[in-house]
Amino acid sequence: MDKFYRILIVDDNESIHEDIEEILTSRQQKRDSDLSNLEEMLFGNESDSEINPAVSDDVSYRIDHAYQGEESVKMVHLAEDEGDPYSLIFMDVRMPPGMDGVEAIKAIWDDFPYIEMVICTAYSDYTWDQIIKNLGITDKLLFMKKPFDATALKQMALSLTTKWELRQESIAYTDKLEHEVEERTKDLRQLVREFKLMKEKAEMATEVKSVFLANMSHEIRTPMNGIIGMNELLMDTDLTDEQRELSEMVQNSADMLLLLISDILDYSKMEAGKLEIENVPFQIKEVIEDVLDVIKFASYGKDLEISCKIESNVPDKLTGDPVRIRQILLNYGSNAVKFTDTGGVTFHVELLENSENECSIRFSVADTGVGIKKEKQEEIFKSFIQADTSTTRKYGGTGLGLAICSQLAELMNGEVGVESEPGNGSTFWLTIPLIDDELKHSEESEDIVISQSKADEEKIDLTILLVEDDITNQKLVIKILEKDGCSYVIANNGLEAVEAVKDKDFELVLMDIRMPDMDGYTATKKIRSMEAEGLLKGRTPIMAMTAHASPQERGRAQEAGMDEFIPKPINRELLLQMIRKVTKKDIGGQ
Ligand code: ADP
């Protein structure tokens, strides 16, 4: 198909119009002799016009004429508006009066920068340098001296119009690409919006699930308190062997259920990203002692030696999350006791690195128990994975504990791991960075060796104020206290507790948290301020009892002025041990 290129000739001299038009259109009627000679020279006699586009009949030009600079600018605008633009303009320089050629090119390029230009002149008012200065360096401008060489002019027109067309194609292609990219970007933006919405919905669902689980776990813990406590008391009575066995089964199932509830609560919180890591000053020694107290009870009935060594270079005071470190060590420790029948469990705390005010601490718990096969050692840190499913029946558990430890460690920027050999025990470790505020380290190594103490079996014999609104819980704690020789007074809420301490001196207050009329925190704060004002005789230790066993709750209890915190359901052994701990501390080793 023939191609038409639109060309504009701008010159005030009519004969130039005729010359150019004649040269550019002549090929359609007669072959230019110069061109034929050149053709023969280049391609030989057999050359044919098809292989030389300069003389091809495929290209023809539609030529328009302008005689002034202003007129040419108008015509270019008109052609663009009609959608039939000029590809090439032959522009004279001097066209008095009015706009000269260089000014006209400038005005045209301001709006249509891709039109090819040929400046034609016999002599110029402008040097080439001046033209470049005016129009800038460009590949769309050529210069042609009059009189014109017909072949050069034809060849120039052909190559410039072809160049213009290629540029138009590339512009169209770029526009098409840009349009496609824009469309795809639009689609992507829509997708991102949809994903965001889905993510928000999923996050909301997880949050609802987490709140539901938190509430349910609280609701389940309260009646569990009754079941576990009453069952413990039942086991203290005279039972036949069969009754005892059944009671023990109740206890085991209840313990497992409780563990499961705590694990699921923690796990769902972590899933919902709700579990926050605290950064508070604490003493490693206190955390370890706390863990050892609990582990000692867990090992009750097993002949295990439980010991601990804190290396001398471990800083006294560090900043981190003691509640979560305690939780990990408790999980390691109770697993160690669970999977060890003879030998012992050793806690070890070492300093790995100390730079500026941060140090890396390694906690490890080694046991002499059943050990874990190599291929299972990594697996067990994943959710719901147990090393040996055949032992689940014997040892119980959910397979969630170590997964929680691993995630907690990650939240604290730490790591967990295990070294173990089947039959030769396991060492579970945790390394975490902790802030060393004081840079003051103790000189001597501290060895804490825990052994089952006879003193623990002795009766307590204290006067206790029990603040609790739930009748079942009251009965449960009373039975424990009575059995151990304590006398007690009951207050049904915080208000009654505040009145009771005015009337009588107590050696200990056991304080529930959630109660009608006045809660445990407010009552504790009131009692502490009465003590500070000298209205009461001395300072009475107050121990919180609550089913909301969260770290936040523990923090609030301490803030209110409570000395200890015991989670519900109340475990008899733990309660007695904690009572001894706080009363000894506060009434001078009684
Ligand atoms: P659970 O103890 O509730 O099953 P964990 O995640 O705490 O869940 O432990 C996962 C598994 O890892 C356990 O079931 C047990 O097979 C293995 N395991 C953990 N600690 C020890 C240990 N000290 N000795 C032997 N096996 C262990």
Side-chain angles (χ1 to χ4, degrees):
M1 208 179 108
D2 280 0
K3 277 182 195 153
F4 287 95
Y5 293 111
R6 212 171 168 193
I7 290 180
L8 180 63
I9 304 168
V10 191
D11 205 305
D12 56 348
N13 181 350
E14 180 60 46
S15 68
I16 296 292
H17 289 261
E18 285 164 10
D19 283 358
I20 297 177
E21 185 155 12
E22 163 71 20
I23 294 167
L24 291 183
T25 54
S26 65
R27 63 179 159 74
Q28 286 159 23
Q29 291 99 37
K30 59 180 170 67
R31 306 198 62 178
D32 183 287
S33 65
D34 286 353
L35 198 60
S36 297
N37 293 339
L38 180 68
E39 196 181 344
E40 219 173 291
M41 232 173 70
L42 286 173
F43 308 108
N45 282 334
E46 280 160 39
S47 74
D48 108 19
S49 62
E50 275 171 34
I51 56 164
N52 186 351
V55 291
S56 153
D57 286 341
D58 289 350
V59 181
S60 42
Y61 305 108
R62 278 195 0 254
I63 298 173
D64 290 333
H65 305 272
Y67 299 88
Q68 287 296 318
E70 288 90 344
E71 189 192 2
S72 71
V73 176
K74 272 187 203 147
M75 286 178 72
V76 168
H77 274 272
L78 199 70
E80 291 283 343
D81 290 348
E82 288 166 351
D84 188 12
Y86 292 109
S87 54
L88 169 65
I89 298 177
F90 289 95
M91 181 74 77
D92 185 22
V93 177
R94 274 167 58 100
M95 292 176 285
M99 199 183 253
D100 69 21
V102 174
E103 287 165 342
I105 292 173
K106 219 171 163 192
I108 292 168
W109 275 353
D110 274 350
D111 293 315
F112 313 108
Y114 300 116
I115 300 180
E116 298 289 333
M117 295 282 180
V118 179
I119 291 184
C120 332
T121 183
Y123 63 93
S124 172
D125 288 333
Y126 294 92
T127 64
W128 183 247
D129 281 350
Q130 280 170 323
I131 290 174
I132 291 301
K133 215 170 168 190
N134 264 291
L135 300 175
I137 294 174
T138 166
D139 66 346
K140 292 183 297 299
L141 184 66
L142 285 181
F143 197 72
M144 202 150 181
K145 282 245 161 78
K146 294 173 186 173
F148 306 126
D149 176 292
T151 309
L153 186 89
K154 268 190 174 183
Q155 194 59 26
M156 184 185 279
L158 180 70
S159 65
L160 290 183
T161 48
T162 310
K163 181 177 160 215
W164 175 84
E165 189 185 32
L166 284 174
R167 196 185 291 269
Q168 293 302 305
E169 278 171 8
S170 96
I171 290 169
Y173 186 65
T174 311
D175 281 353
K176 188 174 153 249
L177 275 184
E178 266 174 15
H179 180 71
E180 273 175 18
V181 168
E182 209 171 282
E183 285 295 305
R184 289 202 186 155
T185 313
K186 241 195 246 164
D187 289 351
L188 271 178
R189 282 210 190 101
Q190 177 65 20
L191 266 179
V192 168
R193 265 199 298 275
E194 280 168 19
F195 277 127
K196 255 192 186 160
L197 218 73
M198 275 160 67
K199 186 173 163 263
E200 275 164 19
K201 272 189 190 166
E203 276 170 0
M204 229 161 76
T206 313
E207 197 178 326
V208 170
K209 186 182 78 184
S210 149
V211 171
F212 171 77
L213 282 172
N215 288 338
M216 282 308 289
S217 94
H218 171 61
E219 293 306 319
I220 296 169
R221 271 169 204 242
T222 309
M224 285 289 289
N225 188 14
I227 296 172
I228 292 178
M230 289 302 170
N231 193 59
E232 268 182 16
L233 293 174
L234 183 69
M235 287 201 294
D236 278 349
T237 61
D238 284 337
L239 296 176
T240 64
D241 286 350
E242 194 188 357
Q243 284 168 335
R244 181 160 301 282
E245 200 179 318
L246 291 174
S247 280
E248 276 169 7
M249 280 163 73
V250 170
Q251 183 163 12
N252 283 344
S253 301
D255 284 347
M256 269 174 66
L257 189 54
L258 200 64
L259 208 73
L260 182 71
I261 293 163
S262 307
D263 280 357
I264 289 179
L265 181 64
D266 268 351
Y267 193 73
S268 64
K269 269 194 192 160
M270 272 191 279
E271 238 196 351
K274 291 268 171 209
L275 209 139
E276 276 171 23
I277 294 299
E278 283 195 325
N279 251 334
V280 292
F282 72 99
Q283 279 187 297
I284 284 193
K285 194 180 155 205
E286 272 183 14
V287 172
I288 296 286
E289 275 176 351
D290 225 21
V291 171
L292 290 172
D293 281 345
V294 181
I295 296 305
K296 191 185 109 181
F297 278 105
S299 71
Y300 186 75
K302 282 189 171 182
D303 188 21
L304 296 179
E305 190 185 326
I306 295 168
S307 60
C308 171
K309 184 175 185 191
I310 301 173
E311 295 288 341
S312 59
N313 56 355
V314 173
D316 291 338
K317 281 189 186 149
L318 289 166
T319 297
D321 193 333
V323 174
R324 295 304 170 187
I325 295 172
R326 180 179 179 276
Q327 186 177 350
I328 295 175
L329 295 180
L330 267 180
N331 199 85
Y332 284 177
S334 46
N335 275 348
V337 167
K338 192 159 82 173
F339 294 101
T340 307
D341 289 332
T342 53
V345 177
T346 311
F347 288 74
H348 192 194
V349 188
E350 315 158 71
L351 174 72
L352 294 186
E353 251 181 69
N354 199 354
S355 60
E356 300 232 330
N357 68 342
E358 194 179 276
C359 55
S360 172
I361 302 281
R362 178 184 149 116
F363 299 86
S364 59
V365 181
D367 65 54
T368 52
V370 295
I372 304 157
K373 283 187 203 142
K374 191 118 207 98
E375 64 271 20
K376 286 282 174 185
Q377 290 177 11
E378 226 174 87
E379 290 277 289
I380 52 173
F381 285 97
K382 293 177 187 158
S383 316
F384 303 109
I385 299 284
Q386 298 186 317
D388 185 352
T389 38
S390 64
T391 58
T392 310
R393 213 166 257 282
K394 180 177 171 195
Y395 297 115
T398 59
L400 267 182
L402 291 177
I404 292 171
C405 290
S406 161
Q407 292 193 33
L408 284 177
E410 205 177 297
L411 284 173
M412 293 190 284
N413 299 321
E415 271 182 82
V416 290
V418 63
E419 286 132 27
S420 180
E421 225 182 275
N424 272 334
S426 317
T427 301
F428 280 84
W429 55 263
L430 156 74
T431 51
I432 38 166
L434 292 167
I435 296 164
D436 179 4
D437 284 331
E438 300 209 339
L439 293 167
K440 189 183 85 198
H441 306 160
S442 66
E443 294 297 309
E444 281 169 24
S445 156
E446 193 166 356
D447 247 338
I448 304 168
V449 181
I450 301 288
S451 58
Q452 310 268 351
S453 149
K454 278 276 162 234
D456 289 355
E457 305 303 325
E458 286 163 12
K459 291 202 181 277
I460 303 178
D461 186 20
L462 294 170
T463 312
I464 291 176
L465 173 64
L466 171 63
V467 193
E468 169 67 78
D469 63 318
D470 186 280
I471 302 285
T472 318
N473 285 340
Q474 279 181 9
K475 279 189 193 158
L476 168 65
V477 179
I478 289 167
K479 289 217 169 180
I480 297 172
L481 297 179
E482 273 179 342
K483 213 167 178 316
D484 281 85
C486 295
S487 59
Y488 59 86
V489 169
I490 290 180
N492 291 298
N493 57 45
L495 270 181
E496 288 185 19
V498 173
E499 289 309 308
V501 294
K502 287 183 195 161
D503 294 344
K504 190 172 163 64
D505 297 332
F506 293 97
E507 286 158 293
L508 174 69
V509 179
L510 289 176
M511 181 80 81
D512 186 25
I513 300 287
R514 278 164 188 63
M515 290 177 293
D517 298 331
M518 186 186 282
D519 66 26
Y521 297 132
T522 318
T524 304
K525 281 184 194 157
K526 283 210 182 302
I527 294 171
R528 291 290 176 239
S529 77
M530 288 191 313
E531 286 168 352
E533 287 167 34
L535 302 174
L536 302 179
K537 206 172 120 197
R539 185 183 189 279
T540 312
I542 301 179
M543 179 153 36
M545 306 183 293
T546 178
H548 279 278
S550 68
Q552 286 86 348
E553 198 86 14
R554 193 175 261 268
R556 281 188 73 189
Q558 273 170 359
E559 219 173 87
M562 291 167 161
D563 301 84
E564 260 305 341
F565 177 98
I566 181 159
K568 286 179 179 177
I570 304 286
N571 171 295
R572 177 174 174 266
E573 295 290 339
L574 187 62
L575 176 66
L576 296 180
Q577 196 218 5
M578 299 288 249
I579 291 178
R580 279 193 197 96
K581 191 174 165 190
V582 285
T583 50
K584 260 181 204 159
K585 192 161 68 188
D586 286 287
I587 57 177
Q590 186 185 323

